Structures are given as C-alpha cells and as structure tokens.
Amino acid sequence: MKVGADPLRDLERVCLAREAIGEEAELFVDANGAYERKQALKLAHAFAEHAGVSWFEEPVSSDDLEGLALLRERVPAPMQVAAGEYGYDSFYFRRMLEAGAVDVLQADVTRCGGITELLNIGSLCAAHSIPLSAHTSPAIHAHACAAIVPLVHVEYFHDHARIEGLLFDGVLQPVHGALRPDEDRPGLGLTLREADAAPYER
Ligand SMILES: [Mg+2]
C-alpha cells in the first residue's frame, strides 16, 4: 500500500490494512521517497511493531543512497528496504548495490533498457547476493523474469493487471500467486485486441 501522502495518518492506515487482510498475508508499504530519514526510521519501527510490515519501499528518496543504506541497517528484521524502480541502465543499479542501499533491488523492464538490460541487472544482483523484484507490468515482466535466478517477485499492481486484461489477449493469470508463461504463445504471449483498444485511440 502507498504511504507518505499524510505521514500523521500513515500508522493508523497501515494498522487498518493489517486488520483487513488478517495475520497471514505479508503487508508491504511504499513511500515513494516521501519521508525524511529519521521520520522513515521512526515509522519503520511503528509499522513493524503494530502492523507486521515486512517491506518498506523507498522510505526516503531513491537518489539518497546514503539514507537508504542507513534505513537498511536500522529497520527491524525481517523488514526489507527496497528501491530501484526508476533506474534506466545497469550503472544506476550497480551504484545502488555498491552503496549497500537495498535488501531487495527493484527494476522495471519498461524503463531499464529492456529485457537485455533487465537480465544484466539480474546478474548484478546475483553477484551482490541481493534478490531482484520486478516493478509492475506483470504481463511484460513474467517471461524475462523466468530467466532471472535471484528474482523474488513480480509486482502485481492492480491497475496494470486490470489494463493489460482490457487490451490484450494472452495476459497471464496468477495461479496460487505465480505467473507461468504460456509456452504455446510466441514472444510475450500478448495479442492486442484492436477493437477494444480503438476507443482509447487519440
Ligand atoms: Mg514503488
């Protein structure tokens, strides 16, 4: 869930989300860099203690590698600090890994130089013993991510999954939380339904 828009209400919101999903599901929060360092640290402890939050994405700006590293060192285990969704090339990701800024690196194949560069980033993660998590657009990530050894998850962002299904045939549906490429369909397995897309044409 998103946090950071109203920091004074975030703990209450996160606790309500925990109440709604029960004890079994993991609860991840994403601040999109909205907090200051010490504010993020204080909230990390509160989120962990009161709502069992296990993932803190961009607690501070993803350009603040020192701040991310500080948070990563000091948030309570097993909470993981993640960032990387804005990266455009493997040098960006190398800097983030070398700074020790994240427990889990994120990358987005639609931004990071495509499938070839995503695979390079996967290798960088393997060399640093850091897992990789794919950022949104599950239909575009699933096939490439099947070839990335340190992959931990593909973000199943509701809006993206909804829009993919509106416009394309061949969109993969998660089964018990997993996406499995259809080996009978070439490429990414997607076919644009032009008639359904036409109303959105400009
Ligand atoms: Mg994010």
Side-chain angles (χ1 to χ4, degrees):
M1 64 181 287
K2 295 292 186 190
V3 293
D6 187 354
L8 293 177
R9 284 201 57 229
D10 279 340
L11 180 58
E12 180 195 352
R13 292 175 59 247
V14 168
C15 288
L16 285 171
R18 169 55 74 197
E19 221 176 288
I21 65 175
E23 294 300 313
E24 299 283 305
E26 286 195 73
L27 180 54
F28 290 12
V29 299
D30 181 359
N32 287 109
Y35 298 136
E36 302 296 330
R37 292 180 184 182
K38 292 298 169 70
Q39 181 186 34
L41 187 57
K42 184 178 176 187
L43 282 167
H45 282 275
F47 291 161
E49 184 181 343
H50 299 292
V53 169
S54 55
W55 170 278
F56 201 166
E57 186 169 324
E58 292 177 11
V60 295
S61 165
S62 50
D63 291 325
D64 179 11
L65 297 182
E66 206 174 78
L68 285 173
L70 177 141
L71 267 292
R72 183 191 177 202
E73 282 294 315
R74 297 184 57 179
V75 299
M79 181 181 276
Q80 293 177 307
V81 170
E85 67 182 59
Y86 305 114
Y88 277 89
D89 57 42
S90 55
F91 300 101
Y92 175 100
F93 297 93
R94 190 181 74 183
R95 282 193 295 276
M96 193 168 263
L97 290 167
E98 286 177 350
V102 291
D103 292 301
V104 181
L105 188 71
Q106 295 178 278
D108 187 322
V109 74
T110 70
R111 292 177 180 159
C112 75
I115 288 174
T116 303
E117 197 71 317
L118 185 72
L119 296 175
N120 289 338
I121 294 158
S123 298
L124 282 173
C125 282
H128 283 83
S129 301
I130 292 289
L132 179 67
S133 177
H135 173 251
T136 71
S137 312
I140 301 182
H141 277 107
H143 297 67
C145 285
I148 295 176
V149 174
L151 187 91
V152 278
H153 24 63
V154 172
E155 183 176 14
Y156 202 77
F157 206 92
H158 176 69
D159 278 350
H160 290 233
R162 184 178 66 85
I163 292 166
E164 288 167 352
L166 277 177
L167 300 175
F168 295 94
D169 281 331
V171 172
L172 300 173
Q173 297 301 320
V175 179
H176 302 305
L179 297 171
R180 294 188 187 283
D182 181 347
E183 292 175 12
D184 294 330
R185 298 178 73 99
L188 298 177
L190 300 173
T191 309
L192 178 65
R193 292 199 307 272
E194 292 190 22
D196 291 340
Y200 304 101
E201 194 175 18
R202 290 192 181 178

